[in-house]
Amino acid sequence: MAFMGLSLSSPSQLLLGMVVLWLLSSPAFSADPDPLQDFCVADLNAPISVNGFPCKPITNVTSDDFFFDGLIKESNTTNIFGVNVTAGDVRSFPGLNTLGISMNRVDFAQGGVNPPHSHPRATEIGVVIKGKILVGFVTTGNVFFSKVVTTGQVFAIPRGLVHFQLNVGKGKALTITALNSQLPGATALPLALFASNPSIPVEVLTKGFQIDDDVVKSIRSKFGV
Ligand code: GLV
Ligand code: MN
């Protein structure tokens, strides 16, 4: 018997072929689930909770549901990182519900850093609109990839990997990023580890990072903890 161009002669080879087919077609290999209709504009206030958001009635859908002007304005980067991420995800742009896509605006002050973070549900692609940015990510095998990118250049961050962007140019910088999830999620490592609520036990951090208690206290104090 032939399967995907291979000739499968024994029942165990056939079973293997079926498992491969199941894995390849499994949603675990895609980002957000595929839509089952043209669109499903999110009803963010719906009383029921589902994976994503329920659709608002189609008769209430308007052209404006598919437009978003929330990324036009430069945002305030006066914070300890010198960065501000404005998210254009389903929460601010309900028309994205079920479409598996979203977009961010990232403003950098001079020297600002979008600190190490990861998106559990999305791969990221970004374009530098202004400035010079060092972009880096680390694989699950701890291999570090990085490059300095400038205006018009594009970078990609594989799904789930820890990454950062550092403004290495003179003056402000701006990137626009796109992510293949309506709600990619972002875990900022410094905040997740040192400013969670409730706090991670100090012993986990001192042993995990091989540092003293006062270092943990000092880092936490920077985040107002
Ligand atoms: C940049 O890393 C972003 O998450 O938008
Ligand atoms: Mn990111």
Side-chain angles (χ1 to χ4, degrees):
M1 182 176 301
F3 176 83
M4 297 180 78
L6 299 173
S7 128
L8 304 177
S9 45
S10 70
S12 60
Q13 281 179 324
L14 185 60
L15 183 65
L16 180 68
M18 288 170 73
V19 169
V20 168
L21 182 64
W22 175 76
L23 284 173
L24 289 176
S25 61
S26 161
F29 285 84
S30 60
D32 290 2
D34 284 338
L36 301 177
Q37 53 221 339
D38 284 355
F39 54 76
C40 167
V41 176
D43 176 355
L44 298 177
N45 300 314
I48 58 163
S49 175
V50 294
N51 187 23
F53 293 94
C55 318
K56 76 177 188 179
I58 203 158
T59 45
N60 295 351
V61 173
T62 69
S63 298
D64 279 347
D65 285 316
F66 302 101
F67 294 90
F68 178 63
D69 61 6
L71 303 187
I72 293 175
K73 284 200 202 118
E74 181 176 341
S75 56
N76 187 345
T77 56
T78 314
N79 56 57
I80 54 172
F81 298 122
V83 78
N84 202 320
V85 179
T86 309
D89 61 36
V90 68
R91 295 169 304 182
S92 51
F93 188 177
L96 297 185
N97 194 37
T98 74
L99 301 187
I101 201 163
S102 59
M103 186 172 268
N104 292 341
R105 171 186 179 121
V106 190
D107 287 289
F108 299 83
Q110 180 160 352
V113 67
N114 190 7
H117 65 281
S118 71
H119 305 289
R121 294 181 287 277
T123 288
E124 171 177 325
I125 187 164
V127 59
V128 180
I129 304 295
K130 184 172 74 183
K132 199 178 183 191
I133 303 276
L134 171 67
V135 181
F137 69 84
V138 183
T139 70
T140 54
N142 295 329
V143 180
F144 177 50
F145 291 90
S146 71
K147 191 164 176 74
V148 172
V149 279
T150 59
T151 306
Q153 294 185 323
V154 171
F155 58 89
I157 310 290
R159 176 176 170 174
L161 298 189
V162 172
H163 61 286
F164 65 82
Q165 293 106 6
L166 173 68
N167 180 3
V168 291
K170 295 191 179 88
K172 296 174 183 175
L174 169 64
T175 64
I176 295 288
T177 54
L179 301 107
N180 66 334
S181 169
Q182 65 176 33
L183 192 58
T187 302
L189 298 189
L191 300 177
L193 294 169
F194 291 94
S196 64
N197 183 15
S199 297
I200 293 178
V202 173
E203 194 184 352
V204 173
L205 299 172
T206 54
K207 289 200 170 143
F209 288 95
Q210 295 293 294
I211 52 177
D212 295 330
D213 293 22
D214 52 351
V215 178
V216 174
K217 274 199 201 104
S218 159
I219 296 174
R220 282 185 169 161
S221 70
K222 306 272 178 10
F223 302 134
V225 179

